[in-house]
Amino acid sequence: MIRWLILLVLFVVALPYLYLAGLGLYLGLDVSNGVVTFTKDLLRRNLVYSEQERVDISALEVVRAEILWKGKLDNEQLSEASGLAYSPDQSVLFSVNDSGNPPELFALGLDGTDLGVWPVRYSDHHDFEDLARFELDGVSYLLIADTGDNFNWRPSLSLLVIAEPSLDTVGQTLEPAWTIHFRFPQDYRDVEGVAVDEKEENIYLISKRRIPAEVFRIPLRPDEPVIAEPVARLRGIPKPTARDLREGDGYGIYKSCPTAMDMRGRSAMIVTYKEAYLYRRSFRQSWDDAFNELPVRIPLPEIHGLESVAFGASADLYHVTGERKDGIKPTDVFEVRLP
């Protein structure tokens, strides 16, 4: 009896690993690295700490922004909003769902009202993690970041560029205008923050599970294959605090990880699960140098699954929303106004 009980326990323990290995082999992923990362994640040991000097949170300038509740997300299909993009032409927000959902683009009013959904012609095996809007040659585009890699096992990640749809085309299938495939110079990265500098024609990406977080750059219209270029380490974003670790229900180690990003002119906004950090570059300063400086810290209210940010009508206004808890609970849209 005891032997059978032990075998049953071993089978239950092995089951998720067998599923993981099968899925990884089917999709052509790095199974061995995925298994190692999965185990570290179970043990809450999945952050990579650099020896580079980091600043204490007390060293950052704090800005108390005006935070306005705008409404709740109406569309229950948008269960895991993992990216936002603001369209000044249509005065709407676009969003995408996280992994485990069909490839779709959502439109919502600034108060969260449902304005429609478009299917996107793309693989069902994806992990959409952010959304960015930019203009190029007089055309407005949306960039969808298929860059999630929780298990550090995807040899190549992708960025889809689609022409910004108008609301009168809701329901029509969207075709990518072009797709960028890229990899990192060493190892793998889980990326949840992506933004476009349309003047430079560059895309900036931020690693999630590295402390300090790393910034990479790739061209907007590259000749493939593309290797992401390291730009900076965000030493100004503090590591998890003792309170994060105490109150995080086991996930507090990720509280200070960047989960979304947006750019507007010479401003870059980065959000973590608990607050926002504003980087501003001076005239003729590069993003490489700006990201190596200290940001302005902007405290935010508690927002479950805060993984979306988008600048609004100006660089002093932005929008944030979070994922639905358990995929079904209500979630809110906030407008944040800087003084």
Side-chain angles (χ1 to χ4, degrees):
M1 181 67 181
I2 295 178
R3 183 176 63 180
W4 285 108
L5 183 60
I6 293 173
L7 289 175
L8 178 61
V9 171
L10 291 176
F11 175 75
V12 171
V13 170
L15 196 60
Y17 285 94
L18 293 173
Y19 172 79
L20 190 71
L23 179 64
L25 289 171
Y26 174 73
L27 297 176
L29 305 175
D30 186 339
V31 173
S32 60
N33 213 58
V35 168
V36 171
T37 304
F38 177 68
T39 304
K40 289 181 179 179
D41 200 36
L42 290 177
L43 299 174
R44 302 292 184 261
R45 296 291 186 271
N46 200 16
L47 288 186
V48 178
Y49 284 84
S50 167
E51 294 302 321
Q52 181 176 349
E53 180 182 357
R54 294 182 296 272
V55 301
D56 187 84
I57 193 170
S58 62
L60 301 181
E61 177 188 353
V62 178
V63 169
R64 300 292 176 179
E66 180 183 10
I67 301 173
L68 304 175
W69 178 83
K70 302 298 292 184
K72 295 187 177 296
L73 285 185
D74 275 350
N75 193 333
E76 293 183 356
Q77 290 179 291
L78 186 56
S79 57
E80 297 180 282
S82 61
L84 278 182
Y86 169 73
S87 170
D89 298 336
Q90 304 184 76
S91 192
V92 302
L93 293 168
F94 292 102
S95 188
V96 289
N97 261 328
D98 211 326
S99 61
N101 297 283
E104 295 173 322
L105 178 72
F106 296 79
L108 47 142
L110 302 185
D111 58 355
T113 53
D114 176 26
L115 298 179
V117 186
W118 295 263
V120 177
R121 195 175 301 283
Y122 192 64
S123 168
D124 285 338
H125 299 292
H126 63 271
D127 192 351
F128 290 166
E129 289 294 356
D130 208 355
L131 189 64
R133 182 187 184 274
F134 65 94
E135 294 184 8
L136 190 64
D137 300 330
V139 180
S140 298
Y141 293 98
L142 296 173
L143 182 145
I144 303 175
D146 179 15
T147 56
D149 191 9
N150 290 339
F151 296 141
N152 289 318
W153 65 345
R154 298 180 67 183
S156 176
L157 303 177
S158 301
L159 302 164
L160 292 70
V161 178
I162 60 175
E164 180 185 321
S166 60
L167 294 179
D168 58 8
T169 66
V170 163
Q172 298 180 17
T173 300
L174 301 177
E175 302 278 353
W178 71 90
T179 302
I180 303 165
H181 304 289
F182 71 97
R183 62 182 177 85
F184 292 97
Q186 292 181 332
D187 302 323
Y188 305 113
R189 298 293 190 278
D190 181 26
V191 171
E192 293 195 4
V194 176
V196 175
D197 186 315
E198 56 189 19
K199 186 175 181 180
E200 290 182 357
E201 295 192 17
N202 282 322
I203 303 166
Y204 288 85
L205 310 99
I206 303 178
S207 62
K208 178 183 179 181
R209 297 167 188 262
R210 304 273 170 149
I211 295 182
E214 306 155 305
V215 182
F216 294 87
R217 175 172 52 221
I218 62 175
L220 186 55
R221 294 189 282 191
D223 295 325
E224 297 185 304
V226 184
I227 300 176
E229 174 193 2
V231 170
R233 292 179 184 265
L234 301 178
R235 66 185 185 90
I237 295 182
K239 64 180 180 180
T241 65
R243 182 171 181 174
D244 292 335
L245 300 176
R246 186 174 65 250
E247 297 180 350
D249 296 327
Y251 290 90
I253 60 172
Y254 304 119
K255 278 281 192 174
S256 296
C257 290
T259 57
M261 179 187 187
D262 199 12
M263 284 181 168
R264 170 69 63 82
R266 294 202 297 269
S267 297
M269 186 67 71
I270 297 169
V271 298
T272 67
Y273 282 119
K274 65 177 182 177
E275 51 200 358
Y277 297 88
L278 177 63
Y279 288 83
R280 285 192 171 123
R281 64 175 185 173
S282 57
F283 183 62
R284 293 184 177 176
Q285 185 184 32
S286 69
W287 281 118
D288 307 47
D289 292 335
F291 283 132
N292 276 301
E293 295 184 353
L294 299 186
V296 172
R297 176 174 165 250
I298 305 166
L300 294 175
E302 184 71 25
I303 302 172
H304 177 79
L306 175 56
E307 295 191 4
S308 302
V309 64
F311 279 111
S314 72
D316 294 325
L317 183 152
Y318 61 98
H319 309 271
V320 293
T321 188
E323 298 181 344
R324 299 180 187 275
K325 189 173 183 179
D326 301 324
I328 57 174
K329 299 292 180 63
T331 191
D332 306 292
V333 179
F334 294 93
E335 181 181 277
V336 182
R337 294 179 178 270
L338 302 178

